[in-house]
Amino acid sequence: MELGMIGLGRMGANMAQRLQRGGITVTGFDPGEQARALVQGKGVATVASLQALVQTLPAPRVVWLMVPSKVVDATLDSLLPLLSPQDVVIDGGNSWYRDSLQRAARCAEHQVGFVDCGTSGGVWGLQEGYCLMIGGEQDVVARLSPLFKALAPAPDRGWAHVGPVGAGHFSKMVHNGIEYGMMQAYAEGFALMDKKADFNLDLAQVAEVWRHGSVVRSWLLDLSADALKGNPGLAGIAPYVEDSGEGRWTVSEAIELDVPAPVITLSLLERLRSREDNSFTDRMLAAMRNEFGGHAIKPAGGKPG
């Protein structure tokens, strides 16, 4: 089986390599010359244009997009006129599922199939395999199953056809929302232990203990233990946490469906809070406490007055 991989960043490049290890012939394209050169050095053939990519692939073609969600539509604008009926486009990035529904309709106008594949695994996917949540028509997904088996941790696990178009990215959206909540709980727990100076806890040691037999063991805990071993005080790491957008989509969907999701929602808000160097909210709270109760105000850069 042959595949065209569009987008050769960390995820796309690693996925291309894992596919080739699984017996899939991959041709890659990225607008960045350096990205193409790096993946060529790993044994993956590349081309310098979308047109060349389409010409290289045998019909019916399979093209996998691993590009940021904000450029998927622009990529389709350039790609769809080059494709033929029965070709298939797979969007493996973190796209909003409602955008995926619209993109599937666009592809259908060209008689091109569309599959949305929520992909989890990060930088460890090349070694460990990827978790794949796949949305699309049954016959199309079945035809593409060799790709998913090659990418997954094993041919019989770690991937599933979860439903029609949109279901793959919807499942991945919720997956990432859950991830937000889990990460926040771990972070708060370790912060609490760090604050308990009386016990002088070795956080890396505690994390390592929890990894074995504990009900809170997980891959996120494994990664936390590794991080604490290498940098126990988290020196040089700014208290600033980005969000990918999928947490926001999850919270929005929960509100629309009247599903209470307080943990996921609060974990998103905490990420937003982390970006405030001089929080107006906190300064306003301090001012109100001073007004109603005469509580001391701490001057900026000083001690409470």
Side-chain angles (χ1 to χ4, degrees), residues 27 46 59 77 95 114 136 159 178 193 216 221 235 245 264:
T27 302
T46 67
D77 288 342
S95 292
F114 182 88
W159 71 278
I178 293 170
M193 290 188 290
V216 299
L221 181 61
I264 294 174

Side-chain angles (χ1 to χ4, degrees), residues 118-154:
T119 308
S120 182
V123 296
W124 292 89
L126 175 58
Q127 174 183 331
E128 303 291 338
Y130 298 89
C131 174
L132 307 171
M133 296 142 271
I134 304 152
E137 296 182 3
Q138 179 67 47
D139 58 337
V140 175
V141 174
R143 175 158 65 94
L144 301 176
S145 62
L147 304 177
F148 308 132
K149 291 177 180 179
L151 286 170

Side-chain angles (χ1 to χ4, degrees), residues 94 120 171-181 244 246-247 250:
N94 283 336
S120 182
S171 300
K172 179 56 163 51
M173 176 191 76
V174 177
H175 165 284
N176 280 27
I178 293 170
E179 177 186 299
Y180 277 41
S244 64
E246 296 213 328
T250 305

Side-chain angles (χ1 to χ4, degrees), residues 231 233-238:
N231 188 0
L234 305 182
I237 300 176

